[in-house]
Amino acid sequence: MSPPPPPRAEESRQVIEARRLVSPALGAFAATLGGRPTAFIEDVAVPRSELAKFMGTIEEIAVRNRLRIFTLGHAGDGNLHPTVVFDESDADEFRRAQTAYDDIMAAGLALGGTSTGEHGIGTLKREWLTRELDPVSLELQRGLKRLFDPKNLLNPGKVVEA
């Protein structure tokens, strides 16, 4: 079997242009919400064989929580960025966004994925690290933190407590 032909220049240009339009499109949608629009931007990776199932699950989560969740990412490595857009001044919508966020994280892990594909664990995903890693792996992370930051100067109290 011969390798596929290289992408044509016009197709490549169109893909790049589509990607460039994502952020402005999200901003335009958020502007229609009123209140204080914001987003939880995810970084979840699943095995490529589970991408279609994960995308379907994200859509179900959006419907169940009556929210818009936009999903983009790097399908070639299974890394997706579900983006839950909501009005944070609406207490009920904020609660539904938090539920959707948690449901997305749980779905990714249930499909054999990870809570971070490329951007790491921040304060928003801190509790998900303890759900993903076993106690031995967590202690390894803490040990590395103590080794490289013995005075706890780097991001104290953020994610990995030494």
Side-chain angles (χ1 to χ4, degrees), residues 121-124 126-127 145 149 151-162:
I121 301 290
T123 55
L124 188 61
R126 177 177 34 211
E127 78 174 73
K145 168 78 170 160
D149 186 18
K151 294 183 180 179
N152 199 30
L153 299 174
L154 305 174
N155 290 324
K158 290 292 182 176
V159 178
V160 176
E161 293 290 334

Side-chain angles (χ1 to χ4, degrees), residues 72-146:
L72 54 140
H74 320 279
D77 64 6
N79 184 19
L80 297 179
H81 301 292
T83 304
V84 182
V85 180
F86 61 98
D87 173 5
E88 69 178 329
S89 69
D90 179 327
D92 179 61
E93 194 165 313
F94 182 76
R95 181 196 55 74
R96 287 184 283 122
Q98 288 177 312
T99 298
Y101 176 89
D102 284 343
D103 290 351
I104 290 168
M105 297 299 296
L109 292 180
L111 292 171
T114 177
S115 57
T116 180
E118 64 182 332
H119 295 288
I121 301 290
T123 55
L124 188 61
K125 288 197 271 189
R126 177 177 34 211
E127 78 174 73
W128 283 97
L129 186 63
T130 60
R131 296 182 195 189
E132 181 174 347
L133 299 179
D134 60 62
V136 172
S137 297
L138 283 170
E139 185 50 40
L140 175 63
Q141 295 292 321
R142 290 183 187 110
L144 289 169
K145 168 78 170 160
R146 287 188 298 269

Side-chain angles (χ1 to χ4, degrees), residues 46-53:
V46 298
R48 287 184 309 233
S49 61
E50 300 292 346
L51 273 174
K53 187 173 190 175

Side-chain angles (χ1 to χ4, degrees), residues 33-52:
L33 295 178
R36 287 192 324 265
T38 191
F40 290 147
I41 302 172
E42 252 322 303
D43 171 35
V44 164
V46 298
R48 287 184 309 233
S49 61
E50 300 292 346
L51 273 174

